[in-house]
Structures are given as structure tokens and as C-alpha cells.
Amino acid sequence: MSKQYDARYFDRWYRGHGLGDRARLGRKVALAVATAEYHLQRPIRNVLDIGCGEGVWRAPLLKLRPKLDYLGFDSSEYAIRRYGRSRRLRYARFGDFAELRPCAPADLVVCSDVLHYLTVRELDRGLPGLVELCAGVAFLETFAREDAAEGDEDEFQNRPARFYRQRFEALGLRQLGSHCWLSPQLADDATALEIS
């Protein structure tokens, strides 16, 4: 990847562009937490955030669940250097999750605004590991060719939605809607109209 995820990148796309709006982020976090807890039938205990950037999900997650164990991974050397210690972020590329198992499977796995920038090779390499690390719900915010998404188009992979659906479903994830996917462990417990 030639794109630099440095301070200027995060300033442009997440602080100065409106994509990092706190209220919008808070709603996404609340949705993901509520969906995971509904299917787990208990409060979530841990979150694994893959492609976490500066770890912006951490604060709203801890606001909702103060005892939550949060762990984030990103390929931005800047983000890890700047926020690694204070926000519990570690360095890893998405494809590293082919082998990387940094924790027990998490109640909620977050991979927000990442997958549509990956090459097919890296996506296919890391995705099975992401699924293996999900014990509840995966929030996989991904944009496709059919969307009129706004944001960073540099290295955006203009793929149809079916490309992602096929890969997620082949690994046992079941679509819940609103970027949420049920883990294979819980899929048999869902009712017919909870999953699509």
C-alpha cells in the first residue's frame, strides 16, 4: 500500500471532513454494541478493532461499557506511535490476521472503513482470521460500487456488494443488516427473519 496513514490523513478525513463526527460515531458504536448484546444475551466484555486507525471507537465504547476490554490493530505507524500506549493499539496489517491471534475471540469485532481499500489478496488472507476471532457480532462497515459513499477514493476498490457478501457468507458469517454480521458460533441460534 502506497497511501500514507499519517497525521495529515486523519486530520483531513476524520477531523476536518465530517466523517469523524462524534454524534455519528456514537450512534454506530451504540448500534454495534446493542446488536452484539442482543445476540449474546449479555453485556459485551471485549472488543477487537481491526483497522482501528487512531482508536476512535475506544472512548464511546468505554462510555457505554466502562469495564470493557478494548484492543485495536492498525497499519498506521503514526497512529500506533501516537496513541498505541494510551488507547491500547498495536501494529498489524489486515493480512497479518491470517496467523495473528492476539486474544481470545471477541464479543464484538470492528472493522470499519477498511475492507474496501484492501487488495483481494490481502482481504482473502486476513478475513478468515477476523471471522475466527469473532465470538459474537462483527461490525464490518464496508462500501461497495452501488453506494454513493463520500470520502477517500484513493485506492478505493470499486467492487460490487455481492463480492463482500459472498466472502463473508462463505466463512460462516450471517448478515444482520446495518453492517452487522453474526458469527458462525451464533448463526444457528438466530431466527429466520433476524438474518438475511
Side-chain angles (χ1 to χ4, degrees), residues 127 131 164-174 181 184:
L127 195 56
V131 174
Y164 296 103
R165 278 194 193 100
Q166 289 170 348
R167 279 166 167 74
F168 298 165
E169 291 171 358
L171 293 169
L173 294 174
R174 294 296 169 252
W181 293 80

Side-chain angles (χ1 to χ4, degrees), residues 104-147:
D107 293 337
L108 174 61
V109 172
V110 176
C111 189
S112 180
D113 199 18
V114 173
L115 301 178
H116 46 262
Y117 293 113
L118 300 176
T119 64
V120 173
R121 182 176 183 206
E122 184 166 12
L123 177 68
D124 287 347
R125 187 165 180 250
L127 195 56
L130 179 150
V131 174
E132 189 177 313
L133 286 163
C134 181
V137 167
F139 182 84
L140 306 176
E141 186 176 29
T142 306
F143 298 100
R145 180 179 300 154
E146 296 87 348
D147 301 319

Side-chain angles (χ1 to χ4, degrees), residues 24-37 57 60-61 64-65:
R24 183 174 184 239
L25 176 62
R27 289 188 295 271
K28 279 197 275 191
V29 171
L31 169 74
V33 169
T35 302
E37 291 183 345
W57 275 64
L61 281 164
L64 290 173
R65 300 291 175 267

Side-chain angles (χ1 to χ4, degrees), residues 21-153:
D21 176 82
R22 286 183 186 188
R24 183 174 184 239
L25 176 62
R27 289 188 295 271
K28 279 197 275 191
V29 171
L31 169 74
V33 169
T35 302
E37 291 183 345
Y38 171 80
H39 286 280
L40 289 165
Q41 300 181 29
R42 63 168 170 76
I44 61 171
R45 298 179 188 123
N46 53 5
V47 174
L48 175 62
D49 192 349
I50 299 174
C52 65
E54 295 177 322
V56 296
W57 275 64
R58 184 178 181 272
L61 281 164
L62 291 174
K63 185 176 181 182
L64 290 173
R65 300 291 175 267
K67 295 180 181 178
L68 182 84
D69 182 26
Y70 173 89
L71 180 60
F73 286 86
D74 201 85
S75 63
S76 167
E77 293 178 8
Y78 149 76
I80 303 309
R81 186 174 57 252
R82 173 72 176 86
Y83 296 107
R85 184 171 290 148
S86 64
R87 296 182 182 171
R88 200 163 179 239
L89 312 181
R90 307 290 181 262
Y91 180 85
R93 295 177 309 272
F94 186 83
D96 294 339
F97 284 89
E99 294 93 21
L100 186 62
R101 298 296 181 273
C103 58
D107 293 337
L108 174 61
V109 172
V110 176
C111 189
S112 180
D113 199 18
V114 173
L115 301 178
H116 46 262
Y117 293 113
L118 300 176
T119 64
V120 173
R121 182 176 183 206
E122 184 166 12
L123 177 68
D124 287 347
R125 187 165 180 250
L127 195 56
L130 179 150
V131 174
E132 189 177 313
L133 286 163
C134 181
V137 167
F139 182 84
L140 306 176
E141 186 176 29
T142 306
F143 298 100
R145 180 179 300 154
E146 296 87 348
D147 301 319
E150 292 181 26
D152 178 15
E153 294 182 8

